[in-house]
C-alpha cells in the first residue's frame, strides 16, 4: 500500500505537469522558455564528464546559501555537534581543524572577490532584486552595494552553516542506516528520511542544470525542519542537541550568535524588500508621468516589467544595442544612473532602509545630436 501511494503521488505530479503544458499549448500561451532548463539538464547529463566542474560549483554555491539561510538554527546545535565529534574523534582538535579550514576558505573568497551573493536573481550586491533596468541588468553599470563587511559576515555564516549542514547530513545518514539495519522504523526516523529524501530529490537536477537563488527556499525549509528535530535518545550528541519547544535552554553564547544572525537576516530581508518596492514605485511613477505627457510606451525602455506589460511580443527579435525585453525604441529610458548620450528628463529620490539609505531613479531622454 505505501508503494502504491508513492507511485500514485509521482504519477499525479507528472500528470499535472503534462496537463498544464497541454492547457498552455491549447490556448497558445506556452512560454518560449518553458523547456529551457529541462533542455539544459539533458544537455549537461549528456556532457556529464565535461560539466563536473560546473556541477561542483553549483553544489558548493548552494551549500553556501543554504548554510546562510539555516545558520540561526544550526548554530544552536553546535554543542551537539561537538559531542558527536568527540564521540568519534578528538572533538576539540576536529573542530579546531574545521575552523582553520573555514577561515582559510573565507580569506581566499575575500581575496578572490567571491563573497556572497554568487548566484543570480533575487539576492544582489545592493540588497534584494532583481534590478531589471537597462543600466544595471544589461549594461552592468554598478549600483551602490552594501558594505563589503556585510557580505563578509554573510559569507562567514554561509561557510559555517554549510559545514554544519554537512555534519548534520552525515549524522542523519548514520542514524538512518542504523535504523533500517535494526528494522526499527520509528516515526522520527521516518520523518528524517522523508526530509533528507526531499532535499536530495529536489536539489539533484538543480546541481546539474543550474538554478536561481530563489529555487533554494524549498530545500531551506526542509533543512530547517530537519535541524529543528530533537536528536533521538541514545545517539551521539543527544544530551546537548537543540530540542525545540522544551524548557531546556541552549548555551548562552550560541543563543546570542543565533539571535544576532537572525536579526541581521531580518534587517536585510525587510529592508531589502522595502527598498525593492520603493524603487519600483518610483519607476512606475516616472513611466506614468511620461505616458500622461503623450510619450508612447513604444518609445520607452522602462525595464522588464514595464515593457512586458505594454510591449510583449512572442515573435520579438532582439535588436542589437537594446535590452532584450521587447524594446521598440529607447528614446526614453528608466535607469538608476545617468548614461552617455542621454539627458535627465526627470528623476525621483528613493529612500532606502539599507545602505547607502538613498538613491535616485532617472527618466532619461536621448540627447539631441
Amino acid at each position: 500500500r505505501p508503494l502504491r501511494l508513492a507511485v500514485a503521488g509521482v504519477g499525479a505530479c507528472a500528470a499535472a505537469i503534462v496537463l498544464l503544458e497541454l492547457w498552455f499549448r491549447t490556448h497558445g500561451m506556452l512560454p518560449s522558455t518553458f523547456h529551457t532548463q529541462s533542455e539544459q539538464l539533458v544537455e549537461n547529463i549528456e556532457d556529464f564528464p565535461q560539466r563536473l566542474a560546473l556541477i561542483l560549483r553549483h553544489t558548493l554555491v548552494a551549500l553556501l546559501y543554504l548554510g546562510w539561510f539555516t545558520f540561526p538554527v544550526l548554530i544552536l546545535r553546535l554543542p551537539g555537534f561537538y559531542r558527536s565529534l568527540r564521540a568519534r574523534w578528538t572533538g576539540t582538535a576536529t573542530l579546531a581543524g574545521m575552523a582553520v579550514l573555514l577561515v582559510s576558505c573565507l580569506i581566499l573568497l575575500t581575496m578572490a572577490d567571491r563573497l556572497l551573493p554568487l548566484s543570480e536573481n533575487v539576492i544582489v550586491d545592493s540588497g534584494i532584486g532583481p534590478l531589471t533596468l537597462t543600466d544595471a541588468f544589461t549594461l552592468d553599470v554598478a549600483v551602490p552595494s552594501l558594505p563589503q563587511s556585510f557580505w563578509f559576515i554573510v559569507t562567514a555564516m554561509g561557510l559555517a552553516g554549510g559545514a554544519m549542514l554537512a555534519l548534520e547530513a552525515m549524522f542523519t545518514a548514520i542514524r538512518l542506516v542504523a535504523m533500517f539495519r535494526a528494522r526499527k522504523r520509528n516515526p522520527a526516523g521516518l520523518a528524517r528520511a522523508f526530509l533528507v529524501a526531499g532535499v536530495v530529490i529536489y536539489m539533484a537536477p538543480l546541481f546539474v542544470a543550474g538554478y536561481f537563488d530563489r529555487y533554494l527556499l524549498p530545500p531551506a525549509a526542509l533543512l530547517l525542519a530537519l535541524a529543528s528535530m530533537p536528536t533521538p535518545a541514545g545517539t551521539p550528541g543527544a544530551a546537548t542537541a537543540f530540542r525545540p519547544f522544551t524548557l531546556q535552554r541552549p548555551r548562552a553564547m550560541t543563543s546570542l550568535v543565533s539571535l544576532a544572525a537572525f536579526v541581521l537576516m531580518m534587517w536585510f530581508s525587510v529592508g531589502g524588500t522595502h527598498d525593492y518596492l520603493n524603487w519600483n514605485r518610483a519607476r512606475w511613477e516616472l513611466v506614468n508621468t511620461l505616458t500622461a505627457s503623450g510619450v508612447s510606451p513604444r518609445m520607452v525602455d522602462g525595464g522588464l516589467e514595464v515593457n512586458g506589460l505594454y510591449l510583449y511580443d512572442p515573435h520579438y527579435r532582439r535588436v542589437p544595442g537594446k535590452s532584450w525585453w521587447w524594446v521598440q525604441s529607447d528614446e526614453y529610458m528608466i535607469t538608476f544612473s545617468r548614461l552617455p548620450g542621454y539627458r535627465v528628463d526627470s528623476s525621483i529620490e528613493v529612500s532606502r532602509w539599507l545602505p547607502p539609505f538613498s538613491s535616485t531613479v532617472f527618466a532619461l531622454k536621448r540627447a539631441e545630436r
Side-chain angles (χ1 to χ4, degrees):
R1 182 171 175 273
L3 184 59
R4 288 197 298 271
L5 287 174
V7 171
V10 174
C13 291
I17 293 173
V18 171
L19 289 174
L20 176 64
E21 182 176 353
L22 180 62
W23 189 84
F24 277 151
R25 289 189 182 278
T26 301
H27 293 80
M29 297 169 57
L30 187 70
S32 58
T33 58
F34 191 77
H35 292 292
T36 298
Q37 287 186 293
S38 298
E39 293 167 355
Q40 184 66 47
L41 176 62
V42 173
E43 181 182 336
N44 286 357
I45 290 174
E46 291 174 346
D47 199 18
F48 192 82
Q50 284 70 37
R51 305 280 180 160
L52 280 176
L54 182 61
I55 293 168
L56 179 61
R57 182 187 185 279
H58 288 159
T59 304
L60 294 176
V61 169
L63 193 61
L64 273 176
Y65 275 88
L66 293 171
W68 173 28
F69 297 160
T70 56
F71 179 84
V73 172
L74 288 170
I75 192 64
L76 296 173
R77 297 186 70 95
L78 190 59
F81 289 140
Y82 177 75
R83 287 284 297 271
S84 299
L85 290 171
R86 194 169 63 181
R88 287 172 171 79
W89 309 293
T90 304
T92 304
T94 304
L95 280 181
M98 291 177 61
V100 170
L101 179 60
L102 293 177
V103 170
S104 300
C105 290
L106 184 59
I107 292 173
L108 289 174
L109 289 172
T110 304
M111 293 175 61
D113 196 23
R114 301 300 293 168
L115 298 177
L116 289 173
L118 295 173
S119 186
E120 297 179 355
N121 207 228
V122 176
I123 299 173
V124 294
D125 289 334
S126 61
I128 288 178
L131 306 179
T132 50
L133 297 183
T134 294
D135 56 337
F137 196 95
T138 305
L139 303 179
D140 203 25
V141 175
V143 175
S145 62
L146 293 176
Q148 189 180 38
S149 57
F150 171 80
W151 292 117
F152 181 87
I153 294 171
V154 165
T155 305
M157 291 166 57
L159 282 168
M164 287 187 283
L165 275 180
L167 286 174
E168 183 74 26
M170 180 179 68
F171 294 140
T172 297
I174 291 171
R175 286 192 289 265
L176 291 178
V177 169
M179 180 186 72
F180 282 104
R181 281 183 175 176
R183 298 184 181 276
K184 295 180 179 180
R185 300 181 184 178
N186 59 75
L190 292 174
R192 287 177 176 276
F194 171 78
L195 294 171
V196 170
V199 173
V200 171
I201 292 170
Y202 182 90
M203 291 302 303
L206 300 186
F207 288 155
V208 180
Y211 52 85
F212 291 124
D213 53 12
R214 65 178 188 265
Y215 295 6
L216 300 176
L217 290 179
L222 295 178
L223 289 169
L224 281 169
L226 180 65
S228 299
M229 292 182 68
T231 302
T235 60
T240 55
F242 172 51
R243 298 172 183 234
F245 315 119
T246 70
L247 295 178
Q248 179 182 351
R249 293 185 301 176
R251 299 287 180 86
M253 182 57 69
T254 54
S255 297
L256 184 62
V257 173
S258 173
L259 179 62
F262 177 75
V263 169
L264 184 68
M265 292 172 69
M266 183 172 65
W267 170 73
F268 173 77
S269 301
V270 177
T273 303
H274 166 273
D275 297 349
Y276 176 78
L277 295 175
N278 249 17
W279 76 254
N280 268 285
R281 290 189 189 99
R283 182 251 297 267
W284 282 101
E285 185 176 338
L286 290 170
V287 170
N288 292 335
T289 300
L290 288 174
T291 55
S293 67
V295 176
S296 168
R298 293 182 174 276
M299 300 174 64
V300 181
D301 179 354
L304 171 62
E305 294 80 5
V306 171
N307 288 61
L309 175 65
Y310 289 118
L311 303 173
Y312 172 75
D313 179 3
H315 306 295
Y316 176 79
R317 292 187 178 182
R318 183 171 180 177
V319 178
K322 293 184 173 65
S323 299
W324 60 265
W325 40 68
W326 314 286
V327 176
Q328 303 295 324
S329 169
D330 52 8
E331 180 73 16
Y332 292 85
M333 296 176 67
I334 309 298
T335 64
F336 293 111
S337 56
R338 294 177 171 86
L339 295 178
Y342 285 81
R343 62 174 177 81
V344 177
D345 183 81
S346 57
S347 64
I348 295 177
E349 293 292 321
V350 176
S351 67
R352 292 170 52 94
W353 286 1
L354 301 182
F357 303 113
S358 67
S359 60
T360 306
V361 178
F362 297 94
L364 304 181
K365 186 179 187 302
R366 186 178 289 118
E368 298 294 336
R369 296 178 179 176

